[in-house]
Amino acid sequence: MLLIECPYCGTRDESEFTYGGEAHIVRPLDPDALNDVEWADYLFFRKNSKGILQEQWNHSAGCRRWFCAERDTVTYKFKSFYKVGERPVEDEA
Ligand SMILES: [Zn+2]
């Protein structure tokens, strides 16, 4: 069972959540200035990286709020959870 920590409600089962894809994708300020390749890159292409990925999640069967999480795509383990508009806490090394 995968447990997810909603920043508003606390830890819940993954069945209460909906995955929203990669986080921190910024909409271009002037979409009309982009060519088709740049627009397609914004709409469709994501990092799909191996390792730590910042993701959006929705607590769809709970408070219905969006939040972000850092998850390792290899182990599926979550590293941190944080509210939209915030940034993940960096590890102190
Ligand atoms: Zn919640």
Side-chain angles (χ1 to χ4, degrees):
M1 174 183 2
L2 187 63
L3 295 175
I4 298 176
E5 183 183 320
C6 173
Y8 305 99
C9 305
T11 304
R12 301 285 200 277
D13 185 85
E14 68 173 302
S15 62
E16 294 187 15
F17 296 86
T18 303
Y19 180 70
E22 186 179 328
H24 310 298
I25 305 295
V26 179
R27 181 181 174 89
L29 292 176
D30 186 7
D32 292 333
L34 301 180
N35 62 37
D36 289 345
V37 172
E38 292 167 331
W39 184 243
D41 183 60
Y42 161 70
L43 287 179
F44 304 114
F45 291 95
R46 299 296 179 254
K47 290 178 186 169
N48 196 25
S49 57
K50 184 177 181 181
I52 300 296
L53 180 67
Q54 295 166 341
E55 305 171 327
Q56 301 176 101
W57 287 84
N58 182 265
H59 194 183
S60 50
C63 65
R64 305 182 73 170
R65 296 170 102 172
W66 286 93
F67 61 94
C68 299
E70 280 188 311
R71 185 176 60 90
D72 190 318
T73 58
V74 177
T75 64
Y76 288 92
K77 289 187 177 178
F78 285 96
K79 183 179 174 195
S80 67
F81 301 92
Y82 53 100
K83 297 175 182 176
V84 171
E86 296 178 347
R87 285 288 181 175
V89 178
E90 297 293 326
D91 287 338
E92 294 180 26

